[in-house]
């Protein structure tokens, strides 16, 4: 009796969901256990990773940035070069393949910035599945291009007007939708969050990132990195980047949270830095909330990091001190967005720019023989209009 | 405390759900009294939550209204105590895990018990997670109410065996809200429940008419209505109490009229 211990990361995780969904997550857990070590399943997934998504993604030595900052050697893990432009495709291919094996014909998903929605719509098109994506109304406005892409790919996009009209409301609505239609539908959750087994499944599919970093850096430098830096909303690209280094204590693991206008203001989404322990969206973890446990209306310039919680495994890595979680403001992220564009000719997603910003702070203070790997989780095309607006320029000509 | 068991003793039970603080605490007080005076056998008091993932648009809206009006858990405790002063039927909270956990489960249970609460429903706490809450609430004599859904199938017996107070049978897939038709075979679910526990079971989600309520009560021990009441409150605002009373009377009469062994 009691919580399935597999679903816990220290005190975090669990399955805090309505009874209506329990058999669905149990079915998913059983299917995942059956297929995760199945050679045919893994061969199919690897083929999709390599020939469809374009893996392995490059580990690029950012020489100009390294020289300019004058400290640690900087490598960029180029998840932005994946098909659909972000790490999200790794998880979607894995989950869609699993859903197909389970006999599901319909995928539903939540999306913040739209990257996970686009990736889900993409794999649904590829695998001939129906697709419905829930997206906060505010986000459909600031990420209009991704809305268009999802529709082009054949998905229905449902704008969610409840609450703050952002990612958390999209997750809530996707959960409500799943509880009303389970038999043919798989909820393709986009981050390492929600009830067990999602945090484990998503982490496993994203762990290809750290597996590749380890191999690629070994080939290039013959050693492990000194620090791995990634941005954290729910935390899927970060856990993917950290996972194969968790047992290498010499590797510093750093997650960059969206501080918005600052962690001393209410306009922030930095969960570890400003939140406290709670239970929401199926999991026990840290959440931004008021004294009565009402979930806080969080804010970040980045629609992908604009979430009041963090995945349970991150909460645990924080508790045990294995990873550190640092706040990065809108302004710092925008400066890093511009800096990487000018310095390396790489326009990063505004989410990834949070990781770049923190690397810019610490690299100059590190010795030249140290190595930092920054995960560029996605590309920044989708953010250009919003960043231009942030800088007081309107790109729309209508 | 046997108030919950008593509520099902005389006849089939009609259970009314009311979101506390929608549109304000004074109205809630009047509405609860109107429901009790007109035949409700048990009242579910909803403590509003910012992100109620098991609720449909009607109760979600009520939660938002209540929170915007400044409703807090402490104010809910105070109102409960006041209601308990004159109300003899069982009062049960319905809220979400974080409202309890964040307050401190122990402190919450202590205050709820002192205010006269008999049970608590946490829709995001399934069987697998219930011990964390039940171990505390049971020490304060508060029943953690378990839920059974149309998808529970092989889980019904397991849940029923450990159920306390009454069993909340979810009539349909999806979230709370009124439905034109309920297609789940409630009778079959009740059969499994009865084979595994002596505690009563009531059906909720989707019920709005006296006919539906009678039908659901006929194949269980009672009917639970939430969204239909909240809609009346939304329509009449501060003047909702007599309208809720009238509606509750029609529903309670229909449920009470169902023969005891249906």
């Amino acid at each position: 009796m009691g919580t399935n211990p597999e679903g816990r990361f220290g005190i975090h995780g669990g399955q805090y969901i309505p009874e209506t969904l329990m058999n669905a997550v149990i079915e998913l857990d059983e299917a995942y256990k059956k297929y995760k070590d199945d050679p045919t399943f893994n061969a199919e997934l690897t083929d999709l990773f390599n020939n469809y998504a374009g893996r392995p993604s490059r580990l690029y030595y950012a020489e100009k940035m390294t020289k300019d900052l004058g400290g640690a050697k900087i490598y960029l893990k180029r998840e932005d070069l994946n098909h659909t432009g972000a790490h999200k495709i790794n998880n979607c291919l894995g989950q869609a393949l699993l859903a197909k094996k389970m006999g599901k014909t319909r995928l539903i998903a939540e999306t913040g910035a739209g990257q996970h929605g686009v990736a889900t719509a993409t794999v649904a098109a590829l695998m001939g599945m129906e697709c419905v994506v829930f997206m906060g109304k505010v986000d459909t406005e600031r990420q209009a291009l991704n809305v268009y892409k999802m529709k082009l790919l054949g998905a229905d996009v449902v704008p969610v007007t409840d609450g703050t009209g952002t990612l958390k409301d999209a997750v809530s609505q996707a959960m409500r939708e799943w509880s009303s239609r389970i038999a043919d539908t798989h909820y393709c959750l986009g981050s390492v969050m929600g009830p067990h087994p999602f945090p484990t499944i998503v982490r496993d599919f994203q762990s290809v990132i750290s597996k590749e970093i380890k191999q690629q850096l070994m080939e290039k430098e013959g050693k492990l990195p000194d620090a791995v830096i990634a941005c954290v909303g729910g935390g899927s690209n970060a856990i993917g980047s950290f996972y194969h280094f968790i047992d290498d204590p010499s590797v510093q693991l750093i997650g960059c949270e969206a501080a918005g206008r600052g962690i001393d203001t209410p306009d922030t989404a930095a969960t570890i830095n400003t939140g406290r322990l709670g239970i929401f969206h199926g999991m026990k973890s840290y959440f931004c909330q008021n004294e009565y446990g009402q979930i806080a209306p969080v804010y970040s310039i980045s629609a992908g990091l604009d979430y009041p919680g963090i995945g349970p495994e991150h909460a645990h890595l924080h508790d045990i001190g294995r990873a550190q979680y640092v706040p990065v403001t809108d302004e710092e992220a925008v400066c890093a967005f511009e800096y990487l564009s000018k310095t390396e000719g790489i326009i990063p997603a505004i989410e990834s720019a949070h990781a770049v910003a923190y690397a810019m702070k610490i690299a100059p203070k590190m010795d030249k023989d140290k190595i930092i790997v920054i995960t560029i989780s996605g590309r920044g095309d989708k953010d250009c209009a919003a960043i231009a607006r942030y800088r007081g320029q309107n790109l729309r000509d209508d | 405390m046997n108030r919950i068991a008593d509520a099902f003793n005389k006849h089939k039970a009609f259970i009314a759900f009311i979101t506390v603080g929608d549109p304000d605490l004074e109205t809630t007080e009047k509405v609860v009294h109107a429901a009790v005076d007109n035949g409700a056998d048990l009242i579910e008091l909803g403590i509003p939550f910012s992100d109620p993932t098991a609720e449909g648009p009607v109760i979600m809206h009520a939660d938002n209204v209540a929170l915007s009006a400044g409703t807090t858990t402490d104010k809910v405790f105070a109102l409960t105590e006041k209601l308990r002063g004159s109300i003899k039927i069982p009062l049960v909270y319905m809220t979400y895990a974080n409202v309890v956990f964040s307050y401190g489960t122990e402190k919450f249970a202590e205050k709820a018990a002192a205010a006269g609460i008999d049970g608590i429903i946490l829709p995001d706490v399934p069987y697998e997670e219930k011990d964390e809450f039940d171990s505390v609430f049971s020490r304060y004599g508060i029943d953690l109410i378990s839920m059974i859904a149309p998808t529970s199938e092989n889980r019904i017996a397991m849940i029923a065996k450990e159920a306390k107070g009454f069993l909340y049978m979810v009539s349909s897939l999806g979230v709370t809200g009124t439905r034109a038709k309920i297609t789940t075979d409630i009778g079959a679910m009740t059969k499994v429940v009865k084979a595994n526990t002596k505690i009563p079971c009531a059906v909720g989600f989707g019920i709005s008419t006296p006919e539906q309520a009678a039908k659901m009560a006929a194949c269980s021990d009672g009917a639970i209505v939430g969204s239909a009441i909240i809609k009346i409150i939304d329509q009449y605002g501060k003047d909702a109490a007599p309208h809720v009373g009238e509606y509750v009377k029609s529903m309670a009469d229909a449920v009470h009229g169902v023969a005891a062994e249906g």
Side-chain angles (χ1 to χ4, degrees):
Chain A
M1 215 166 50
T3 302
N4 175 4
E6 290 169 62
R8 290 278 168 178
F9 303 92
I11 61 168
H12 305 283
Q15 293 178 308
Y16 299 89
I17 48 169
E19 170 60 22
T20 304
L21 290 173
M22 277 309 299
N23 265 331
V25 297
I26 291 168
E27 183 198 5
L28 177 63
D29 191 33
E30 283 166 359
Y32 183 60
K33 283 202 185 94
K34 181 175 163 194
Y35 288 108
K36 72 171 184 168
D37 298 317
D38 178 77
T40 316
F41 179 85
N42 283 300
E44 280 176 66
L45 185 58
T46 303
D47 181 62
L48 288 167
F49 272 2
N50 296 349
N51 296 311
Y52 187 70
R55 303 207 70 87
S57 71
R58 298 290 187 258
L59 184 70
Y60 166 75
Y61 170 44
E63 192 174 359
K64 276 183 74 193
M65 186 176 171
T66 300
K67 284 189 177 142
D68 182 60
L69 295 173
K73 207 165 173 182
I74 295 169
Y75 280 89
L76 306 178
K77 179 59 173 168
R78 300 289 310 276
E79 290 297 302
D80 60 316
L81 294 179
N82 294 338
H83 179 44
T84 72
H87 69 290
K88 295 290 187 186
I89 193 81
N90 306 331
N91 169 44
C92 289
L93 284 168
Q95 282 200 51
L97 194 60
L98 184 61
K100 258 209 125 146
K101 303 270 179 207
M102 293 168 71
K104 306 285 180 183
T105 55
R106 180 172 175 259
L107 296 177
I108 59 169
E110 82 295 343
T111 197
Q115 293 303 101
H116 176 59
V118 168
T120 307
T122 298
V123 300
L126 174 70
M127 300 194 190
M129 299 170 92
E130 242 186 281
C131 182
V132 181
V133 179
F134 295 86
M135 187 170 188
K137 185 86 186 352
V138 173
D139 292 338
T140 60
E141 282 154 15
R142 57 180 169 178
Q143 299 290 350
L145 179 61
N146 275 338
V147 175
Y148 176 76
K149 283 187 193 168
M150 287 182 265
K151 290 181 176 166
L152 183 65
L153 291 158
D156 280 336
V157 180
V158 180
V160 179
T161 51
D162 310 318
T164 48
T166 58
L167 183 53
K168 85 172 164 77
D169 308 292
V171 173
S172 296
Q173 208 49 40
M175 283 181 162
R176 291 186 184 107
E177 170 65 21
W178 199 27
S179 73
S180 72
R181 189 168 161 185
I182 299 168
D184 67 345
T185 300
H186 172 70
Y187 178 15
C188 185
L189 229 165
S191 193
V192 283
M193 46 158 292
H196 173 71
F198 284 108
T200 300
I201 292 181
V202 179
R203 177 253 276 153
D204 288 353
F205 290 139
Q206 292 295 0
S207 68
V208 66
I209 301 173
S210 50
K211 193 175 155 198
E212 287 176 6
I213 294 174
K214 211 168 192 174
Q215 283 169 355
Q216 290 165 325
L217 200 66
M218 210 44 90
E219 281 162 23
K220 288 173 196 289
E221 298 278 351
K223 59 178 184 176
L224 293 171
D226 295 282
V228 176
I229 306 180
C231 63
V232 183
S236 73
N237 94 81
I239 210 77
S241 304
F242 295 172
Y243 187 65
H244 287 282
F245 296 111
I246 290 175
D247 293 332
D248 298 312
S250 70
V251 182
Q252 222 191 325
L253 306 175
I254 304 169
C256 301
E257 297 193 315
R261 298 196 173 97
I263 53 170
D264 49 353
T265 76
D267 299 328
T268 181
T271 308
I272 293 279
N273 285 278
T274 67
R276 63 190 173 88
L277 193 61
I279 296 170
F280 184 49
H281 280 160
M283 58 183 171
K284 185 176 281 179
S285 186
Y286 295 105
F287 296 95
C288 299
Q289 55 186 311
N290 77 6
E291 59 172 316
Y292 288 107
Q294 307 295 344
I295 303 303
V298 292
Y299 163 82
S300 162
I301 190 172
S302 144
L305 304 181
D306 197 355
Y307 183 71
I310 187 167
E313 192 164 8
H314 285 296
H316 178 58
L317 292 175
H318 166 73
D319 285 356
I320 61 171
R322 180 61 192 95
Q324 64 177 124
Y325 296 85
V326 297
V328 174
T329 64
D330 283 0
E331 178 62 25
E332 290 167 328
V334 169
C335 290
F337 176 89
E338 293 163 341
Y339 177 85
L340 196 68
S341 303
K342 289 201 176 80
T343 312
E344 292 289 347
I346 295 169
I347 305 174
I350 189 64
E351 288 78 16
S352 324
H354 286 70
V356 175
Y358 193 71
M360 287 164 65
K361 276 190 204 173
I362 63 166
K365 296 180 220 154
M366 292 168 72
D367 290 339
K368 287 189 171 150
D369 62 343
K370 299 286 184 193
I371 295 170
I372 293 176
V373 175
I374 310 169
T375 298
I376 305 299
S377 57
R379 66 178 184 223
D381 314 42
K382 67 180 178 59
D383 299 307
C384 289
I387 304 301
R389 206 156 47 237
Y390 181 86
R391 290 296 191 213
Q393 202 186 331
N394 198 344
L395 296 189
R396 294 176 59 170
D397 51 11
D398 52 6
Chain B
M1 246 188 286
N2 277 320
R3 277 194 287 248
I4 294 179
D6 289 348
F8 290 86
N9 267 348
K10 260 191 299 177
H11 41 55
K12 308 268 183 180
F14 176 70
I15 298 172
F17 169 89
I18 293 152
T19 301
V20 179
D22 165 39
D24 53 45
L25 294 165
E26 294 71 32
T27 307
T28 300
E29 189 182 351
K30 287 184 209 154
V31 166
V32 171
H33 279 295
V36 174
D37 295 346
N38 284 284
D41 300 293
L42 187 153
I43 303 285
E44 280 180 21
L45 296 170
I47 307 179
F49 181 50
S50 53
D51 300 80
T53 48
E55 311 299 346
V58 173
I59 296 179
M60 258 201 295
H61 177 69
D63 280 13
N64 281 338
V65 170
L67 289 173
S68 305
T71 308
T72 65
T73 309
D74 285 318
K75 289 180 182 171
V76 175
F77 289 141
L79 179 67
T80 307
E81 205 175 343
K82 205 170 165 195
L83 289 168
R84 183 43 91 205
S86 57
I87 291 174
K88 301 296 168 222
I89 65 167
L91 300 172
V92 166
Y93 283 147
M94 173 140 177
T95 191
Y96 284 77
N98 202 47
V99 171
V100 175
F101 181 81
S102 158
Y103 196 89
T105 306
E106 185 83 30
K107 196 172 127 200
F108 184 101
E110 192 186 332
K111 294 211 171 180
I117 277 292
D118 302 287
I120 184 162
I121 304 166
L122 300 171
D124 56 347
V125 176
Y127 178 86
E128 278 73 2
E129 305 293 353
K130 80 180 168 69
D131 285 355
E132 175 180 357
F133 294 92
D134 188 41
S135 60
V136 179
F137 281 116
S138 61
R139 279 193 279 109
Y140 290 89
I142 296 173
D143 291 331
L144 179 65
I145 310 293
S146 297
M147 298 177 102
I148 291 175
T151 49
S152 296
E153 298 169 357
N154 55 336
R155 296 167 53 82
I156 298 178
M158 168 184 91
I159 295 168
K161 278 194 177 86
E162 293 182 23
K164 293 178 176 176
F166 71 94
L167 258 162
Y168 192 128
M169 296 207 296
V170 177
S171 74
S172 323
L173 291 179
V175 293
T176 55
T178 57
R179 287 167 174 81
K181 219 171 156 202
I182 293 167
T183 54
T184 307
D185 187 351
I186 303 295
M189 285 167 76
T190 305
K191 221 176 240 178
V192 184
V193 168
K194 295 295 175 192
N196 287 283
T197 182
K198 287 194 167 56
I199 69 157
C201 57
V203 183
F205 279 41
I207 302 171
S208 61
T209 66
E211 293 72 33
Q212 281 177 322
K215 202 175 155 199
M216 289 300 116
C219 52
S220 69
D221 301 308
I224 307 166
V225 171
S227 296
I229 293 173
I230 303 300
K231 274 187 193 167
I232 297 172
I233 296 171
D234 195 40
Q235 186 183 346
Y236 295 100
K238 292 177 193 297
D239 303 320
H243 301 278
V244 170
E246 194 185 327
Y247 174 74
V248 167
K249 183 161 185 349
S250 70
M251 297 295 280
D253 284 351
V255 170
H256 295 161
V258 175
E261 273 321 302

